[in-house]
């Protein structure tokens, strides 16, 4: 069976919310909530935090969370995940899950959904998306912070954009998919992606996953009914604190 492992990149120096991995939610740092939820996915043989900051490492030690130190000059979380996989010497046939460190409301079932396509040996990497209803989610669809994805009939990504795509030229009702930024890579694909230079569309949209598409690497998109609430700003943090204070899971 294909072995699955989760790595949570945790960068302390966030531009909009410095110290984000250690932001306290319900008495615990955010990174603890993410790790605990990821560890509830039975398919994962191990979950590690990957950081470049001694403060995050110290917090992980105190909370008894597996942690690996990485370089401080990685341009993306994917590069940090690749280094962590190498330092941990994970199996060459493994699938590595890049679990965003700012998703404290992650549902473990989402990881099971993400990993299901790897039963097909032809699937090289996968990500998640959730349907957006134009009647309810108009603000999300219009927001450049909510990335949208268009897929092929086979379920592979055709394009990701911050713009509302597809565009209903004749006034029809399009089917929007909101991207959920969690990825799984076969290890050889993770290595290849990190060795490729940033692509033209990636630099234009500031979306790293476009590097895969521009280089002809298919990315399977799994539709999920779950939604997360990522933390990018102080306002997001307060919203998540309120949400989690009302939950029992």
């Amino acid at each position: 069976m294909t072995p699955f492992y989760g790595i949570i990149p945790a960068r302390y120096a966030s531009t909009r919310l410095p110290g984000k991995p250690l932001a306290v939610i319900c008495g615990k740092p955010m990174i603890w909530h993410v790790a605990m939820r990821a560890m509830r996915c039975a398919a994962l043989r191990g979950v590690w935090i990957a950081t470049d900051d001694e403060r995050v490492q110290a917090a992980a030690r105190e909370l008894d969370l597996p942690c690996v130190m990485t370089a401080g000059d990685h341009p993306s979380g994917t590069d940090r995940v690749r280094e962590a996989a190498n330092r941990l010497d994970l199996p060459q046939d493994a699938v590595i899950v890049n679990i965003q460190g700012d998703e404290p409301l992650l549902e473990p079932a989402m990881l099971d959904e993400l990993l299901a396509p790897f039963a097909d040996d032809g699937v090289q990497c996968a990500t998640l998306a959730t349907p957006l209803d134009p009647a309810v989610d108009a603000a999300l669809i219009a927001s450049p912070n909510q990335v949208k994805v268009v897929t092929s009939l086979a379920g592979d990504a055709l394009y990701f954009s911050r713009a509302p795509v597809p565009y209903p030229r004749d006034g029809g009702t399009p089917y929007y998919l909101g991207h959920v930024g969690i990825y799984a890579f076969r290890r050889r694909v993770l290595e290849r992606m990190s060795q490729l230079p940033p692509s033209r569309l990636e630099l234009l949209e500031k979306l790293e996953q476009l590097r895969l598409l521009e280089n002809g690497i298919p990315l399977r998109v799994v539709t999920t009914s779950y939604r997360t609430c990522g933390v990018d700003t102080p306002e997001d943090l307060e919203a998540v604190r309120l949400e989690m204070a009302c939950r029992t899971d």
Side-chain angles (χ1 to χ4, degrees):
M1 292 180 63
T2 300
F4 300 115
Y5 300 91
I7 297 177
I8 307 169
R11 178 171 159 268
Y12 188 89
S14 169
T15 303
R16 288 182 287 181
L17 190 59
K20 180 164 61 171
L22 302 184
V24 176
I25 302 173
C26 299
K28 298 281 189 180
M30 178 157 52
I31 198 68
W32 180 87
H33 292 281
V34 178
M36 288 296 102
R37 286 174 173 268
M39 289 175 182
R40 282 163 52 189
C41 174
L44 295 178
R45 296 190 182 184
V47 176
W48 291 267
I49 295 166
T51 187
D52 61 344
D53 193 279
E54 293 179 356
R55 289 164 289 192
V56 177
Q57 182 189 46
R61 268 205 205 104
E62 184 177 338
L63 295 163
D64 201 25
L65 298 175
C67 183
V68 57
M69 287 293 287
T70 58
D73 58 352
H74 287 305
S76 72
T78 302
D79 295 295
R80 193 176 309 285
V81 167
R82 172 182 171 266
E83 184 192 350
N86 289 338
R87 286 184 175 274
L88 293 165
D89 196 24
L90 297 181
Q92 290 300 316
D93 64 343
V95 168
I96 312 298
V97 185
N98 179 350
I99 303 168
Q100 302 300 315
D102 56 5
E103 295 281 358
L105 292 174
L106 171 74
E107 291 289 344
M110 296 171 72
L111 300 176
D112 290 316
E113 293 174 331
L114 177 68
L115 295 173
F118 291 95
D120 179 352
D121 290 338
V123 173
Q124 300 185 54
C125 46
T127 191
L128 295 176
T130 189
L132 298 177
D133 184 346
V136 178
D137 300 313
L140 273 178
I141 292 167
S143 172
N145 294 322
Q146 172 60 71
V147 176
K148 277 69 66 176
V149 58
V150 178
T151 63
S152 71
L153 293 176
D156 290 331
L158 292 172
Y159 191 62
F160 292 85
S161 183
R162 297 184 182 278
V165 290
Y167 177 75
R169 195 193 75 164
D170 294 325
T173 303
Y175 181 68
Y176 290 110
L177 284 174
H179 183 224
V180 179
I182 305 171
Y183 301 89
F185 303 90
R186 294 195 189 275
R187 189 166 175 193
R188 64 179 182 274
V189 178
L190 180 61
E191 293 287 342
R192 184 183 172 197
M193 183 180 180
S194 293
Q195 292 165 5
L196 292 168
S199 66
R200 177 177 55 96
L201 291 172
E202 174 188 359
L203 293 172
L204 187 65
E205 292 250 23
K206 295 296 185 287
L207 296 175
E208 184 185 20
Q209 62 270 36
L210 289 172
R211 188 187 315 174
L212 294 166
L213 305 191
E214 286 197 84
N215 284 279
I217 301 172
L219 175 57
R220 181 63 49 87
V221 178
V222 182
T223 301
T224 179
S225 60
Y226 293 106
R227 294 198 183 186
T228 60
C229 185
V231 176
D232 291 314
T233 67
E235 292 76 20
D236 294 337
L237 178 59
E238 288 308 312
V240 166
R241 282 170 171 161
L242 287 172
E243 171 71 16
M244 293 190 73
C246 298
R247 296 175 65 148
T248 57
D249 58 337

